[in-house]
Amino acid sequence: MTKTPIVNVVDDIIANASKAGASDIHFDPREDYLMVRIRIDGDLRDYTKIPKIYERNLITRIKLIANMNITESRLPQDGSIKGTIKGINLETRVSTLPTNEGEKCVIRILDYSRSLEGLDALGFNEDNFKKLKKMIAEPNGIILITGATGSGKSTTVYSILQVLNKKETNIITVEDPIEMNLEGLNQVQVNSEIGLDFATVLRSILRQDPNVILIGEIRDSETAKIAVRASITGHLVLSTIHTNNSLSTIERLLDMNVERYLLSSALSGIISQKLAKMICPHCRIKEKTTPYQKKVFKMALDKDVEEIYNANPKGCDKCNNGYHGRIAIQEVLMINDEIRNALNEENLEKDDLNKLVYTSDVITMLQDGLLKILDGSTSFDEIYKIIDVDDDLDIYCKIKGIKYNENVHEEKQEEEINKDEDKPNTNLNIEPEIKPEKNEDVNKTNEQVQIIEGPTEVVTPEVITIEEKPKEEEIL
């Protein structure tokens, strides 16, 4: 640090992070040093520590190349870096935030390679891909892409725009900020300081003879109402919204006071997605499924799965601890006439809407995730991390009329076995009148016991041994 100019230090950090496939660079001020961390495949990792005396100069240099006010350190600021650093073409967003130890700075590296590759590269399964192509072929309607921050919504939106971007089509976007410049699009940057917000721009856009309108994000009821009305008047509207799945998206729009009759006729489809880390294909390992994993596969996909791929914790020279890259886990809901009619009903219960949504031909996020586990793209640990598996299974059971107690896990059952090995496990819906008189008859009795999960379906319970306990606790 004493011999290297600050300019070169900043360039080296940004260039090396970009080469490593990082999505964000964090400059975190600490009491004695500036901690630099980079986010790769969704996880933050320590990169280096910089002495405290160089912190101010380094942050000032970042502000300078991001066209930010270098004299202001008391207020948050936003900027961007566009250009070539160390021979790498980069486009980044920069944000600073004052903290008690100094200014924290985050650089988001924008990677549009997936968007430019087209819809085929986004990891949609065959059924979902057909639904998506059918939705964007409609001349009007509103298509919503939902998910948490950093779940790949912008990548999906720009990939769809690439397909719709034709000579005979007028596409206008209103964004905050404009993330990617596309040839042939009319892109508008929101500026709330001068009153140029989403609602104001949308009113003007409707007088600009558009075919397709992209709204960067639906944040309030006014924007939601204008978006829905624009889709009814003959425009195809694309937008993003921060919700977890199709059902919560519909509820959010109704909470924003969008009229039911407008929403039912305007909504074309909802694409919900989350990102899961991909298993490295070079060092992945096969493992036998645990009883809990077998139960999840059986209930969600109705498949008996004995083996699945898992990440190799040792990794190899081509991955990071067994993972490399990320894949989208998607749920595509195409609104059918039955759901449209239900949306018009004022007294519609959440459970009824749930049943309508998930008994249609929709492939839920859990099912899509499990299918991607089976083809070796990701691991069960990753799906369990990003999706509330027990909650989804509870919904399936309610719809199918199967008894499922999400509080009864194999871990609890094993604890009962450890407490008293002489007693049979009674947490698996065993009929109360079955009580073995002698300890040596326990195994015989368990062989005769059956779990009744449905009116016609009879399943013999899995035998859980104490040796499997460490794996089970790790999964749960």
Side-chain angles (χ1 to χ4, degrees), residues 103-271:
E103 277 191 283
K104 174 178 168 64
C105 179
V106 176
I107 300 175
R108 167 156 285 194
I109 300 170
L110 304 174
D111 181 13
Y112 300 122
S113 56
R114 276 284 178 92
S115 297
L116 296 171
E117 285 173 13
L119 285 173
D120 297 346
L122 296 183
F124 283 95
N125 66 51
E126 193 177 344
D127 289 343
N128 283 344
F129 191 55
K130 284 178 184 174
K131 288 181 201 169
L132 178 59
K133 287 201 289 187
K134 195 173 180 181
M135 284 193 293
I136 63 177
E138 296 287 330
N140 62 317
I142 183 165
I143 301 169
L144 295 171
I145 296 90
T146 79
T149 304
S151 61
K153 295 191 301 293
S154 298
T155 302
T156 303
V157 167
Y158 281 118
S159 298
I160 293 171
L161 286 178
Q162 291 273 88
V163 176
L164 296 171
N165 191 9
K166 298 172 183 174
K167 289 180 182 178
E168 61 271 18
T169 308
N170 178 23
I171 302 175
I172 305 178
T173 76
V174 46
E175 303 169 70
D176 183 24
I178 294 172
E179 294 188 26
M180 179 180 177
N181 291 319
L182 284 174
E183 188 68 31
L185 268 63
N186 304 288
Q187 295 172 275
V188 181
Q189 168 72 56
V190 168
N191 188 349
S192 55
E193 290 180 6
I194 60 171
L196 192 68
D197 55 15
F198 280 105
T200 306
V201 176
L202 274 172
R203 289 192 197 96
S204 299
I205 283 176
L206 293 174
R207 294 191 287 270
Q208 291 284 322
D209 186 30
N211 298 106
V212 180
I213 301 169
L214 166 66
I215 304 166
E217 185 185 340
I218 292 179
R219 295 177 181 171
D220 51 54
S221 59
E222 190 177 9
T223 308
K225 287 177 181 177
I226 296 172
V228 169
R229 289 182 184 277
S231 66
I232 290 172
T233 53
H235 307 97
L236 182 62
V237 179
L238 297 174
S239 189
T240 66
I241 190 167
H242 289 289
T243 52
N244 290 324
N245 53 38
S246 307
L247 191 67
S248 57
T249 304
I250 293 170
E251 289 173 348
R252 176 71 61 84
L253 290 170
L254 292 173
D255 288 342
M256 285 180 170
N257 298 320
V258 176
E259 293 89 342
R260 284 178 175 272
Y261 71 93
L262 289 177
L263 184 61
S264 63
S265 55
L267 196 59
S268 294
I270 302 167
I271 304 162

Side-chain angles (χ1 to χ4, degrees), residues 338-388:
E338 202 175 359
I339 297 173
R340 286 187 202 284
N341 295 334
L343 285 175
N344 279 320
E345 295 178 17
E346 289 287 340
N347 301 321
L348 181 68
E349 293 290 333
K350 183 179 177 180
D351 287 345
D352 295 334
L353 185 59
N354 227 335
K355 196 169 183 178
L356 272 176
V357 168
Y358 293 118
T359 52
S360 61
D361 60 344
V362 68
I363 296 171
T364 65
M365 218 175 287
L366 174 59
Q367 290 170 326
D368 190 46
L370 294 176
L371 289 169
K372 281 166 182 170
I373 292 171
L374 293 178
D375 67 19
S377 299
T378 188
S379 67
F380 194 91
D381 289 357
E382 276 298 299
I383 298 302
Y384 196 86
K385 196 187 298 180
I386 64 170
I387 296 170
D388 192 340

Side-chain angles (χ1 to χ4, degrees), residues 44 286 443:
L44 274 173
K286 261 194 174 182
N443 292 331

Side-chain angles (χ1 to χ4, degrees), residues 58-78:
L58 190 138
I59 298 297
T60 301
R61 170 61 187 169
I62 294 170
K63 283 181 169 183
L64 200 64
I65 59 177
N67 295 317
M68 295 157 79
N69 184 358
I70 60 172
T71 62
E72 180 57 76
S73 59
R74 300 164 301 167
L75 293 170
Q77 290 189 67
D78 292 311

